[in-house]
């Protein structure tokens, strides 16, 4: 993530700059943790599928049951980390929006969203 250049019409205070850096670092760590959680969830789902195929005709299903519970837990962890990362990313918006460039290089489309030209 690159921070926009500071301009005279919209200077940021020292506290806003520190807040943006702190939120950026928190969001960056949460993003990396979310990527790890995605990998862990994918791995547990794959292990569960393999265990179910291996134990199709067997009476004891402890192994697939344990992996199913593990997949359920990792899915909840992935969702929790993702929501937390989203909250910190969204927290940067009110602080960083005054620093966005107000030049002609940004335009507003018909839906009211800003898009770089």
């Amino acid at each position: 993530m690159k921070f926009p250049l500071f301009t005279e019409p919209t200077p940021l205070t020292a506290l806003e700059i520190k807040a943006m850096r702190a939120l950026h670092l928190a969001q960056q760590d949460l993003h990396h943790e979310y990527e790890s959680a995605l990998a862990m969830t994918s791995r547990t789902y794959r292990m569960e599928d393999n265990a179910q195929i291996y134990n199709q005709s067997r009476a004891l299903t402890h192994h697939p049951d344990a992996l199913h519970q593990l997949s359920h837990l990792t899915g909840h962890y992935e969702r929790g980390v993702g929501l937390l990362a989203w909250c910190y990313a969204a927290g940067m918006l009110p602080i960083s929006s005054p620093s966005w460039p107000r030049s002609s290089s940004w335009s507003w489309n018909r839906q009211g969203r800003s898009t770089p030209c």
Side-chain angles (χ1 to χ4, degrees), residues 41-112:
T41 302
S42 176
R43 185 176 63 243
T44 57
Y45 284 149
R46 197 170 49 250
M47 288 173 20
E48 179 186 1
D49 290 343
N50 290 341
Q52 285 177 348
I53 291 170
Y54 178 73
N55 289 325
Q56 276 181 347
S57 61
R58 300 186 183 190
L60 299 175
T61 60
H62 299 300
H63 186 219
D65 292 344
L67 291 176
H68 176 72
Q69 291 175 359
L70 181 62
S71 298
H72 186 72
L73 290 172
T74 57
H76 281 293
Y77 178 68
E78 173 195 329
R79 180 167 172 74
V81 172
L83 289 173
L84 189 60
W86 178 256
C87 288
Y88 276 87
M92 287 182 65
L93 183 63
I95 296 171
S96 63
S97 60
S99 67
W100 291 348
R102 309 280 199 272
S103 67
S104 61
S105 65
W106 285 81
S107 65
W108 291 89
N109 62 19
R110 291 183 185 162
Q111 289 81 24

Side-chain angles (χ1 to χ4, degrees), residues 19-36:
M20 282 179 62
R21 284 185 182 139
L23 286 169
H24 175 69
L25 290 173
Q27 201 280 328
Q28 196 174 25
D29 286 342
L30 288 169
H31 173 74
H32 293 304
E33 187 58 32
Y34 180 69
E35 293 294 325
S36 296

